[in-house]
Structures are given as structure tokens and as C-alpha cells.
């Protein structure tokens, strides 16, 4: 009887793996591709193993060259399979910086090995259930296979740190099984374990790493966000161009979990029907369809994925009864950025930047440029904080009642490495988005306190200094204790501080802001409402917020002098605010006529270029000493 049971098991094993894998769409990742190639080669190898035994068994009935050819092909497939094992491992480590000379050298070695196998003699032995081949051809096979297996193992040891632990372990187990099977077969030729061993090794790899399920999102069934990142990395590596449609869906917390899942599955199935595109689920309920740029027609309209059809579909219901407030981000050309991380950042930043009523935005080079500038600014801010390049400028505030500069506003600046000043308009929004604003705010506050104390501002007529607070700071429950600590450290009385808050739609935790305000007010700090009169602020806010000063924004002040209706509104507003017992600062006052106009309105303080631009600390001290002395 033929000694092929074990190999048959291995063969069936491989066929089952092929079956499972072929049921899944390929993401197109290199490692995935090589694994699939491995599977084909290894299956062919077991098949040839079985064929060679059959050929040897029936050698009497077959032409000699056929038997020899089958046996040698089996040996060649053995070397090829170990070559692929090495290629898989090498790709795992160096997929981002391939060395083509090295790859050619290894491939040449594989080819040389195969040619030598084909050219050298082979003999076979067949008695009872012991069938094996021997001779120079077999020795060469052992040598070359051993070199590839050893190289694979060495790679996992030398570059183990570049692989994740699971991959390292899975590859090592795979190779160990191969070696063990080969050794057993060498010592006991009737135990034909090599084919089965390799099938077992592949199975380990499959279950640990190459199971296509690992690329999938568990709920949606399409590819996951992680896979998206991997896929993008590869696309950028190959300089391939692609287009993306990102479908941004709101997450309604009122929806049940079940309904949420139903929607996700339904969307995923719908979008997956666009054959040529790959579908990924991003964060929350967002999806991305990625397709080759070549799939667009002359007008730039995607032919495989019809955006108009998709947009139309998203206007109707999903799940049980949900209409989603879907927005679309279109990236016609992936090369607006240069790598996967930037692409994801572009997505994450723009996802929340839709204007009211806007449902689609096309992202072009500007978005790519934005992200680059954003990243550069983040680095600049971090460095400025580290190297103490955050400076505070002070803009004097004039009291109409006393005719003196009774306060000032502390305004942040970054001193660039070239000595030039970077203005807050450029870095504050970036700091707010990146979370660095808290560090900046604290630095400005601490420097302001130092300035108050060191220069004894109170004695110079400056009763208090206004310091801006950002929304993120207001929402931080530790704000009051941090600021209390800073004031104690710098020995500044809270009465000498007025904190500026703004009304903002991004403020979600109003109760924390109120808590912070209450604690700071109990210590003695005052509060001003900044930016009054801009888009986001209204009178209701004054009613709700315990502020003692309202700061009219420059835009509102300018409008007062140019627009009759605005003038009427402003007069009424001033009246109401005064009735509430609050003080008013007019910002952005630039000319003498404006000063006169403001004085007649009944406003208390003026802050503007007419008196002074924001000044460096030293200039501010000189300014105050001169102006308040007279
Ligand atoms: P803001 O708090 O409303 O500050 C007033 C801004 O108006 C300052 O701009 C000031 O230079 C400018 N300004 C004052 N008078 C005039 C005038 O007569 N004409 C003109 N054209 N402009 C005038 P700056 O210093 O560029 O600051 C811009 C904004 O950046 C500030 O607006 C504030 O929202 C923010 N900011 C500045 N420093 C900080 C800070 O330390 N923390 C936070 N969170 N935000 C800050
Ligand atoms: Mg301000
Ligand atoms: Mg202001």
C-alpha cells in the first residue's frame, strides 16, 4: 500500500485553507499576497510529494524520465516553498524599504538551486511502505531548503524587534515544524512528514496572522480601520494613485445599540456592492470607498462608484427608521498628502469641518497643505513651550472714568527661531485642536502673574490684568486649582486677575466651566466675556454667566461707526448691560473719532490701537510708567 496517508492529510488541510481564504476579498496587502502564494506553492509541494511516491511505486509501468521529472519537480517545489517562507518573512520586516538587489540575489539563489536539482542525478528506493529518493539532487534540495529556513529563522532573530510578537512566534513555530519534519524524514525515510509539517505550519500562520477575518470589521463585515491604515501605507509606498470617498455618518446617541448595528451592516452591504472599490469602516459609522484613480472617466466622475447614486441613497432611511445626516468627503487624488498618517489626519480633521448646509467637500492640495502646516505648527508650539519661546504681550486698557490705564490684556505670542513673532491667529487654533492650548494658557498665565508681581503693577495703577481662557481650559475640572497654585506661587492676589471667557458652540461641559468660575470668583478673580458681538455670542449668555465685564469685539465696534442699524442695536445693548450692573470694554478702537463716539455711548473702558498695540513686557512697563504718571 502507498505511504501517502499523512501527505493526503496535509493536502486536504491545505485545500481547506485555500477554500476559507478564497471566500474572502483580498485587501491587496503584500504579506497577504505572499501568504496566498505560499499556500499555492505548499499545496503543490504536497501534491507533488504524493505524485512522486505514486510515480516511484509505478515506475515499472512509466517511462523513466517521467518518474525522474516528477521526483525532481517535487524537490524543486520543496526549495521553492522554503524560498517563499523566507520571502514572506523578509517582507514582514522590510516591506517599507525593499532592497531589490538583495531580493534579486535571493531569487537567483532559488533558481540556481532548482536548476542544480534538475541537472544532477536522482535515485529512488522503494520497498514495502518505504519510498524515498536520494543522490546529489536530494542533497542539493536539503542544502538549499536548509539555507532558506535558516535565513528565515535568522531574520526573525536579527530583526525580531521590527515584527510584532505574534508574527515572530508564528514564523518561528512554522520553521521549527518544517525542520523537525525534515529531520524525522531524513532519519526515518518511511515517515514522510515534510508535506504535512508545512501544512501544519501554514495553518499556524493562518490562524495567528493571515486569517482574512483579521482584516475585517466585526460589525460591518467590510475591512477595518486598521486595515485601511495598512492599505494606505502600501499605496503610498508604491506611489500608486487612488481616489477615496469618505462617507461620514453622525452617531446619534439616542439610537439603540441594536439599531446602530443594523444601520452599519446595512450601509456596509450597500456600499460593498460597488464592485471595484474596496470598502473600509473608519471611526464610528464612517466608511471609506477606495478605488484606483484610473477608474474615473474624462470628467473626473468615478465610473465604478457612482457618487450621485450613493448620495441619493443616503437621503433615505436606514435600519428601522433612521435618516442619517450623512456628509461626504471626496479625495479624488490620494497624493494630496504624502503618507497614510497624513491621509488619516486629513480625514479626521475635515470630518468635523462641514459648514452648515454643506454635505460634500472635495479635498484637494489645500487640505494636504493645511495638514502639513498644522503638523509644523504643532511641532513649533511644542518646541516653543520647551525652549521658553512663548512670550506675553500686554495691551493697555484705558478707563474713561479715571483717564488712566487701569488694566491690560495679556496676549500670547511665539518668538520664532528667526526672531520674528508668530501671532495667536496662527497658533491658537492649532493649539486648541491639538490639545496644546492648556499648556500655552498656563504658561501665559504664569508669566502674567510674574509680570504683575515683579513690576508691582498695582502700584503703577494697573488694577488687574485680563488673561484669555480657552474652552478646553474651562472644561478642565482642575483649572481652578492649577490657577490657584500658580497665583500662590507667584504671590499674586486673585483680585489682580480677570479671566476672559468666550461663548462657544464647542463648549459641552458648561457645568464644569461654572464650577471653575465659582471657585475662582470665591478666591477673588473677576471674569470678562470676550468676543461679544461676534457670531457666537448673544445676550442670553450674559444672563447665564457670572461675568463682571463684557468686551465688545472689534467687529461690533467698527460696525457701530459704519452702520446705522448696528448703532441702534449697540446703544440698546449698552443700556441693558449697564442695567445688569456690568462694565463694558470696547475693543479695536483705532481713531480719535471712535474714542469720542465710544465715550458718548457710556462705555467704561477702551482697548485699541488708538492708545496702544499689544506691547512686549518692557515696553508695556515703560508705557504704563509714563502714561499713568501724568
Ligand atoms: P482677543 O482676546 O479678542 O484679543 C484682542 C485682539 O484684538 C488682539 O489680537 C489685539 O491685538 C487685537 N486688537 C486690539 N485692539 C485692536 C485694534 O485697535 N485694531 C486691531 N486691528 N486689532 C486690535 P491678538 O493679540 O492677535 O489676539 C488674537 C486672539 O487670540 C485673541 O483675541 C484671543 O482670542 C486669542 N489669544 C491671544 N492670546 C491668547 C491666550 O493666551 N490664550 C487664549 N486662549 N487665546 C489667546
Ligand atoms: Mg481676549
Ligand atoms: Mg476680544
Amino acid at each position: 500500500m502507498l505511504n501517502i496517508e499523512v501527505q493526503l492529510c496535509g493536502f486536504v488541510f491545505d485545500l481547506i485553507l485555500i477554500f476559507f481564504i478564497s471566500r474572502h476579498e483580498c485587501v491587496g496587502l503584500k504579506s497577504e499576497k505572499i501568504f496566498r502564494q505560499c499556500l499555492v506553492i505548499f499545496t503543490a509541494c504536497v501534491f507533488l510529494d504524493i505524485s512522486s511516491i505514486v510515480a516511484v511505486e509505478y515506475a515499472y509501468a512509466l517511462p523513466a524520465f517521467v518518474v525522474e521529472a516528477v521526483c525532481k519537480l517535487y524537490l524543486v517545489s520543496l526549495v521553492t516553498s522554503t524560498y517563499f517562507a523566507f520571502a514572506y518573512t523578509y517582507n514582514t520586516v522590510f516591506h517599507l524599504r525593499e532592497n531589490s538587489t538583495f531580493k534579486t540575489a535571493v531569487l537567483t539563489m532559488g533558481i540556481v538551486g532548482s536548476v542544480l536539482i534538475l541537472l544532477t542525478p536522482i535515485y529512488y528506493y522503494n520497498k514495502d511502505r518505504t519510498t524515498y529518493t536520494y543522490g546529489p539532487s536530494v542533497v542539493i534540495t536539503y542544502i538549499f531548503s536548509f539555507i532558506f529556513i535558516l535565513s528565515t529563522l535568522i531574520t526573525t532573530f536579527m530583526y525580531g524587534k521590527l515584527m510584532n510578537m505574534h508574527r515572530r512566534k508564528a514564523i518561528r513555530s512554522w520553521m521549527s515544524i518544517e525542520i523537525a519534519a525534515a529531520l524525522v524524514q531524513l532519519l526515518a525515510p518511511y515517515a514522510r512528514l515534510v508535506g504535512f509539517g508545512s501544512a501544519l505550519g501554514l495553518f499556524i500562520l493562518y490562524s495567528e496572522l493571515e486569517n482574512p477575518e483579521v482584516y475585517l470589521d466585526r460589525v460591518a463585515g467590510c475591512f477595518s480601520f486598521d486595515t485601511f491604515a495598512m492599505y494606505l501605507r502600501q499605496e503610498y509606498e508604491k506611489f500608486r494613485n487612488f481616489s477615496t470617498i469618505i462617507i461620514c455618518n453622525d452617531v446619534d446617541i439616542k439610537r439603540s445599540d441594536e439599531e446602530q448595528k443594523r444601520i452599519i451592516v446595512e450601509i456596509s452591504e450597500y456600499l460593498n456592492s460597488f464592485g471595484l472599490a474596496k470598502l473600509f469602516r473608519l471611526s464610528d459609522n464612517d466608511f471609506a470607498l477606495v478605488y484606483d484613480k484610473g477608474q474615473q472617466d474624462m470628467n473626473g466622475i468615478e465610473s465604478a462608484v457612482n457618487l450621485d447614486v450613493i448620495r441619493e441613497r443616503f437621503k433615505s432611511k436606514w435600519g428601522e427608521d433612521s435618516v442619517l445626516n450623512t456628509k461626504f468627503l471626496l479625495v479624488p487624488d490620494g497624493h494630496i498628502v504624502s503618507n497614510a498618517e497624513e491621509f488619516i489626519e486629513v480625514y479626521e480633521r475635515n470630518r468635523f469641518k462641514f459648514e452648515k448646509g454643506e454635505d460634500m467637500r472635495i479635498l484637494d492640495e489645500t487640505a494636504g497643505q493645511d495638514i502639513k502646516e498644522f503638523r509644523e505648527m504643532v511641532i513649533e508650539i511644542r518646541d516653543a513651550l520647551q525652549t521658553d519661546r512663548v512670550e506675553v504681550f500686554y495691551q493697555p486698557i484705558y478707563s474713561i472714568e479715571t483717564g488712566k490705564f487701569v488694566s491690560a490684556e495679556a496676549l500670547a505670542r511665539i518668538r520664532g527661531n528667526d526672531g520674528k513673532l508668530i501671532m495667536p491667529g496662527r497658533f491658537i487654533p492649532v493649539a486648541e485642536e491639538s490639545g496644546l492650548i492648556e499648556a500655552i494658557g498656563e504658561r501665559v498665565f504664569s508669566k502674567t502673574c510674574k509680570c504683575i508681581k515683579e513690576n508691582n503693577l498695582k502700584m503703577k495703577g494697573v488694577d488687574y490684568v485680563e488673561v484669555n481662557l480657552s474652552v478646553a481650559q474651562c472644561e478642565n475640572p482642575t483649572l481652578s486649582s492649577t490657577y490657584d497654585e500658580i497665583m500662590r506661587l507667584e504671590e499674586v492676589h486673585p483680585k489682580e486677575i480677570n479671566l476672559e471667557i468666550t461663548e462657544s458652540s464647542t463648549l459641552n461641559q458648561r457645568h464644569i466651566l461654572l464650577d471653575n468660575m465659582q471657585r475662582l470668583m470665591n478666591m477673588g478673580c473677576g471674569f470678562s466675556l470676550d468676543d461679544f458681538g461676534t457670531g457666537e455670542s448673544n445676550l442670553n449668555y450674559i444672563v447665564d454667566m457670572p461675568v463682571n465685564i463684557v468686551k465688545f469685539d472689534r467687529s461690533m465696534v467698527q460696525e457701530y461707526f459704519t452702520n446705522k442699524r448696528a448703532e441702534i442695536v449697540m446703544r440698546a445693548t449698552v443700556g441693558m448691560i449697564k442695567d445688569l450692573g456690568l462694565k463694558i470694554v470696547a475693543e479695536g478702537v483705532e481713531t480719535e473719532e471712535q474714542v469720542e463716539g465710544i465715550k458718548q455711548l457710556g462705555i467704561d473702558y477702551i482697548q485699541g490701537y488708538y492708545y496702544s498695540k499689544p506691547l512686549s513686557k518692557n515696553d508695556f512697563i515703560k508705557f504704563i510708567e509714563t502714561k499713568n504718571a501724568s
Side-chain angles (χ1 to χ4, degrees):
M1 196 181 142
L2 292 172
N3 181 7
I4 53 170
E5 297 89 344
V6 184
Q7 292 94 311
L8 272 177
C9 282
F11 186 59
V12 172
F13 228 59
D14 283 347
L15 288 183
I16 294 173
L17 280 185
I18 290 178
F19 169 72
F20 277 124
I21 286 194
S22 61
R23 284 168 58 219
H24 288 275
E25 186 192 349
C26 195
V27 191
L29 298 176
K30 187 90 183 284
S31 71
E32 190 191 25
K33 220 160 95 191
I34 301 182
F35 180 75
R36 285 178 188 223
Q37 286 166 348
C38 280
L39 199 53
V40 171
I41 296 291
F42 279 65
T43 315
C45 184
V46 197
F47 177 74
L48 285 166
D49 188 2
I50 298 167
S51 308
S52 69
I53 294 172
V54 174
V56 170
E57 181 73 25
Y58 295 99
Y60 60 86
L62 294 165
F65 79 91
V66 172
V67 182
E68 187 177 328
V70 174
C71 290
K72 284 190 170 178
L73 272 181
Y74 163 56
L75 297 183
V76 169
S77 73
L78 258 181
V79 172
T80 314
S81 63
T82 52
Y83 163 78
F84 267 89
F86 177 68
Y88 177 85
T89 313
Y90 176 82
N91 173 69
T92 304
V93 181
F94 294 113
H95 63 291
L96 291 181
R97 50 181 168 105
E98 285 178 355
N99 178 337
S100 54
T101 321
F102 180 70
K103 266 172 68 182
T104 316
V106 177
L107 182 64
T108 311
M109 202 171 94
I111 293 171
V112 167
S114 304
V115 170
L116 284 176
I117 292 169
L118 293 175
L119 293 181
T120 49
I122 187 168
Y123 312 108
Y124 41 83
Y125 173 91
N126 185 29
K127 198 167 182 217
D128 300 328
R129 279 171 56 80
T130 309
T131 308
Y132 61 88
T133 48
Y134 61 97
S137 192
V138 177
V139 174
I140 291 168
T141 307
Y142 264 98
I143 293 174
F144 277 85
S145 302
F146 187 68
I147 291 174
F148 282 128
I149 292 179
L150 202 66
S151 312
T152 308
L153 277 174
I154 291 174
T155 310
T156 69
F157 284 103
M158 277 178 68
Y159 301 102
K161 289 207 169 76
L162 296 176
M163 296 179 179
N164 74 48
M165 186 180 66
H166 298 291
R167 201 167 278 273
R168 206 165 53 218
K169 281 188 180 162
I171 293 175
R172 280 181 197 161
S173 318
W174 178 24
M175 289 301 108
S176 310
I177 292 173
E178 293 267 347
I179 292 174
L183 283 179
V184 171
Q185 191 166 325
L186 188 68
L187 300 172
Y190 58 88
R192 312 254 326 184
L193 290 178
V194 168
F196 183 72
S198 59
L200 204 65
L202 276 181
F203 186 74
I204 292 177
L205 212 59
Y206 169 84
S207 50
E208 277 279 306
L209 308 165
E210 295 298 343
N211 181 345
E213 296 265 332
V214 301
Y215 299 120
L216 300 184
D217 180 278
R218 280 182 181 265
V219 178
C222 60
F223 297 127
S224 65
F225 201 174
D226 281 348
T227 312
F228 183 60
M230 278 192 261
Y231 180 78
L232 287 181
R233 259 177 231 133
Q234 187 171 293
E235 293 295 286
Y236 282 106
E237 196 51 37
K238 285 186 183 161
F239 301 106
R240 275 240 306 265
N241 217 339
F242 59 94
S243 305
T244 313
I245 295 175
I246 300 175
I247 297 121
C248 309
N249 294 306
D250 68 334
V251 181
D252 188 345
I253 47 168
K254 279 180 252 141
R255 245 177 249 140
S256 68
D257 268 6
E258 210 176 287
E259 171 73 345
Q260 202 84 265
K261 278 189 186 150
R262 202 174 294 137
I263 293 173
I264 290 167
V265 171
E266 207 180 322
I267 295 179
S268 172
E269 278 172 9
Y270 168 71
L271 292 173
N272 236 338
S273 61
F274 293 94
L276 288 169
K278 291 191 192 306
L279 179 67
F280 301 86
R281 178 177 172 201
L282 310 185
S283 33
D284 301 326
N285 293 352
D286 293 2
F287 286 86
L289 275 168
V290 184
Y291 47 92
D292 280 355
K293 194 154 185 275
Q295 287 170 236
Q296 288 189 340
D297 68 15
M298 298 286 287
N299 302 318
I301 297 167
E302 180 13 55
S303 51
V305 184
N306 192 327
L307 183 57
D308 289 338
V309 173
I310 298 177
R311 279 172 79 184
E312 223 25 65
R313 171 63 189 90
F314 273 87
K315 284 182 188 149
S316 30
K317 287 178 181 153
W318 295 94
E320 293 263 272
D321 192 25
S322 300
V323 178
L324 308 173
N325 178 22
T326 307
K327 317 264 188 214
F328 297 88
L329 286 173
L330 199 62
V331 188
D333 182 343
H335 287 140
I336 58 166
V337 292
S338 47
N339 60 48
E341 282 64 34
E342 285 180 4
F343 189 99
I344 291 171
E345 243 177 278
V346 165
Y347 150 63
E348 284 175 342
R349 287 192 74 206
N350 286 282
R351 193 212 173 301
F352 298 104
K353 287 201 173 153
F354 287 97
E355 310 276 326
K356 253 195 186 140
E358 185 188 31
D359 85 321
M360 189 181 91
R361 177 173 291 189
I362 298 174
L363 300 178
D364 54 14
E365 287 78 21
T366 331
Q369 197 52 40
D370 277 356
I371 200 79
K372 284 195 177 74
E373 282 167 15
F374 178 81
R375 287 179 151 213
E376 281 164 16
M377 190 48 85
V378 168
I379 294 171
E380 178 72 37
I381 299 172
R382 283 216 182 96
D383 189 65
L385 282 163
Q386 249 168 30
T387 54
D388 197 21
R389 291 190 286 111
V390 176
E391 294 186 11
V392 184
F393 273 48
Y394 301 87
Q395 187 175 28
I397 298 177
Y398 179 80
S399 161
I400 295 173
E401 190 189 336
T402 64
K404 303 256 177 218
F405 292 90
V406 294
S407 70
E409 176 168 5
L411 294 156
R413 306 281 183 263
I414 285 180
R415 179 73 63 184
N417 280 320
D418 55 2
K420 291 196 186 121
L421 284 180
I422 306 174
M423 299 303 280
R426 280 184 61 206
F427 66 84
I428 293 284
V430 176
E432 277 172 343
E433 204 173 324
S434 61
L436 289 165
I437 190 67
E438 297 200 51
I440 292 195
E442 275 174 36
R443 185 68 57 88
V444 169
F445 187 66
S446 156
K447 288 199 167 188
T448 305
C449 289
K450 254 194 185 74
C451 171
I452 294 173
K453 172 78 185 162
E454 278 173 9
N455 298 288
N456 209 344
L457 288 188
K458 187 127 189 89
M459 293 298 289
K460 295 185 168 74
V462 178
D463 298 333
Y464 58 90
V465 178
E466 303 257 348
V467 189
N468 292 285
L469 279 180
S470 74
V471 171
Q473 289 180 285
C474 297
E475 286 186 330
N476 185 343
T478 62
L479 172 79
S480 46
S481 54
T482 311
Y483 273 36
D484 181 30
E485 226 167 85
I486 295 174
M487 287 185 286
R488 282 175 200 279
L489 187 75
E490 305 297 347
E491 295 173 8
V492 164
H493 194 280
K495 275 197 165 27
E496 293 173 78
I497 298 292
N498 224 61
L499 295 166
E500 293 190 3
I501 56 164
T502 48
E503 177 170 14
S504 166
S505 53
T506 58
L507 179 78
N508 300 315
Q509 318 252 27
R510 186 178 275 231
H511 65 281
I512 301 182
L513 163 67
L514 286 170
D515 267 7
N516 276 323
M517 285 178 83
Q518 202 54 58
R519 280 199 219 109
L520 286 159
M521 280 188 315
N522 291 345
M523 295 170 205
C525 287
F527 277 90
S528 304
L529 179 67
D530 202 2
D531 298 344
F532 187 84
T534 61
E536 298 219 33
S537 73
N538 61 52
L539 279 168
N540 282 341
Y541 209 71
I542 305 180
V543 177
D544 289 348
M545 288 292 158
V547 292
N548 42 306
I549 295 178
V550 177
K551 296 188 79 175
F552 284 4
D553 190 70
R554 175 168 170 264
S555 55
M556 185 178 178
V557 172
Q558 296 297 328
E559 195 128 337
Y560 170 76
F561 295 105
T562 51
N563 180 338
K564 193 79 197 142
R565 289 163 79 98
E567 187 192 321
I568 297 165
V569 173
M570 181 120 139
R571 276 188 200 287
T573 311
V574 169
M576 279 189 278
I577 296 174
K578 299 255 83 177
D579 287 348
L580 285 165
L582 309 178
K583 302 264 185 215
I584 301 173
V585 179
E587 282 192 287
V589 177
E590 294 182 343
T591 62
E592 198 169 346
E593 299 97 77
Q594 288 177 354
V595 170
E596 288 314 314
I598 291 293
K599 280 182 178 168
Q600 279 160 25
L601 248 178
I603 283 176
D604 309 271
Y605 308 105
I606 299 176
Q607 174 182 353
Y609 288 0
Y610 175 74
Y611 290 111
S612 170
K613 287 192 171 183
L615 302 168
S616 67
K617 184 177 78 178
N618 292 342
D619 288 347
F620 169 66
I621 302 298
K622 271 186 231 147
F623 179 94
I624 288 295
E625 282 172 348
T626 331
K627 299 283 177 182
N628 279 1
S630 52

